[in-house]
Amino acid sequence: MDTLEAWIAEGLTDPREITKKHIEDALDPLRGDQARRLHTSLRSLFRALKRERLVFRDPARSVSLTSSRTLPTSLPSDRIAGLLDRLDDPRDRFMVALVAIHALLPGQLVRLLRTDLDRSKGLLRLRRPGRMDHLVYLDAFTLRLATRWELQRHRRWPDSSNPHLFVTRNTAVDDSAPPISAGVVQKPFKRLGLPAGVLRVDRIYDEARHCADPVRLMELFGLSNLSATRYVLSAHPDKRNGPIAP
């Protein structure tokens, strides 16, 4: 690896000397797939060194590639391009967009909190018990839908203390602050005649078909390596007997 050779040339022969700043400096001149490949390689390297107790910390763990991330900018196919035009309610439109564009699970919509959405940064945080949080980088279209829902919510229930991102007329004023039900999430998808699970799979498959990169699927949708690889192999059967570029 050229990066390791460069570090050795600089006199960094002990992996314990490598800091987060060294990782960031190595990634800084790279973009796109090159940056993702190097980042993945360094993460794997330091995880292995930590397992062998050759290092005590992983300097690559807290390094992200937010600056080089490519965001989805539109609905992924003609099949769902006009989908949201068939819905009037801002809450329903926002929920469907999060599934159709960003491949969220219905259960994740139920659990989202208002504090998970940072519209100023275009970020949505998915809290995953037992796993690292996944950050969803929202496109401009979805952010507009998020703003419309927040405005409607404030107009209807300005005094609501429910911390959940999505509420109904009942949960908004309930002092126990319950989340919405799974039925509320499924309602707009039933109206469209497209189950949420089908839309989610279609979105991930569409991305796999265009990029054939499991690392990108992991970054965009928070998939495991195994799930991401399965999507790529499904979209590109010709890769079943050959290497898949990380």
Side-chain angles (χ1 to χ4, degrees):
M1 185 188 296
D2 292 341
T3 301
L4 297 182
E5 293 176 356
W7 285 339
I8 292 172
E10 293 174 15
L12 298 170
T13 57
D14 187 337
R16 290 174 294 184
E17 298 177 309
I18 304 301
T19 66
K20 178 182 176 181
K21 181 66 164 55
H22 290 121
I23 304 290
E24 290 174 336
D25 288 345
L27 291 170
D28 184 61
L30 305 179
R31 294 292 181 271
D33 290 342
Q34 280 188 317
R36 286 194 293 272
R37 281 196 291 269
L38 178 57
H39 185 240
T40 300
S41 298
L42 292 174
R43 285 297 312 276
S44 298
L45 171 64
F46 281 100
R47 277 198 296 260
L49 292 173
K50 192 174 180 182
R51 281 196 302 268
E52 297 298 324
R53 299 186 178 181
L54 297 175
V55 298
F56 301 105
R57 57 185 174 75
D58 177 359
R61 180 177 181 180
S62 59
V63 176
S64 64
L65 295 177
T66 56
S67 61
S68 62
R69 189 181 296 263
T70 303
L71 305 180
T73 57
S74 63
L75 295 175
S77 69
D78 292 340
R79 180 184 178 193
I80 62 173
L83 205 60
L84 300 183
D85 293 337
R86 294 155 56 188
L87 298 171
D88 297 321
D89 186 77
R91 182 196 64 203
D92 292 347
R93 289 166 61 86
F94 184 27
M95 289 196 300
V96 170
L98 287 176
V99 173
I101 298 175
H102 299 283
L104 266 67
L105 291 161
Q108 292 172 325
L109 298 179
V110 170
R111 296 189 298 271
L112 284 172
L113 302 178
R114 296 185 82 178
T115 53
D116 293 331
L117 175 64
D118 186 337
R119 286 190 291 124
S120 65
K121 295 182 179 179
L123 292 177
L124 182 67
R125 181 179 298 276
L126 298 183
R127 291 165 290 106
R128 304 186 295 182
R131 302 171 60 191
M132 291 182 63
D133 292 348
H134 175 59
L135 293 179
V136 178
Y137 292 75
L138 300 176
D139 61 299
F141 177 73
T142 306
L143 280 172
R144 288 196 296 272
L145 296 178
T147 299
R148 290 169 187 167
W149 161 238
E150 287 281 4
L151 290 173
Q152 184 194 60
R153 171 177 171 152
H154 180 71
R155 279 197 306 268
R156 289 186 175 180
W157 309 288
D159 299 322
S160 174
S161 59
N162 192 311
H164 293 92
L165 180 60
F166 295 111
V167 295
T168 66
R169 61 183 180 183
N170 293 323
T171 66
V173 298
D174 190 327
D175 290 339
S176 65
I180 59 174
S181 68
V184 170
V185 172
Q186 294 296 343
K187 188 175 179 180
F189 296 95
K190 288 181 179 179
R191 189 178 304 134
L192 294 171
L194 288 169
V198 171
L199 276 180
R200 178 178 184 271
V201 169
D202 281 354
R203 175 65 186 100
I204 300 173
Y205 182 84
D206 184 80
E207 191 68 36
R209 187 166 56 86
H210 282 91
C211 73
D213 183 354
V215 174
R216 176 169 170 78
L217 300 186
M218 293 165 67
E219 292 179 344
L220 278 180
F221 307 122
L223 301 180
S224 67
N225 180 42
L226 180 60
S227 294
T229 301
R230 284 174 174 169
Y231 272 104
V232 170
L233 291 178
S234 177
H236 301 274
D238 57 300
K239 294 184 178 293
R240 291 184 183 276
N241 298 321
I244 297 178

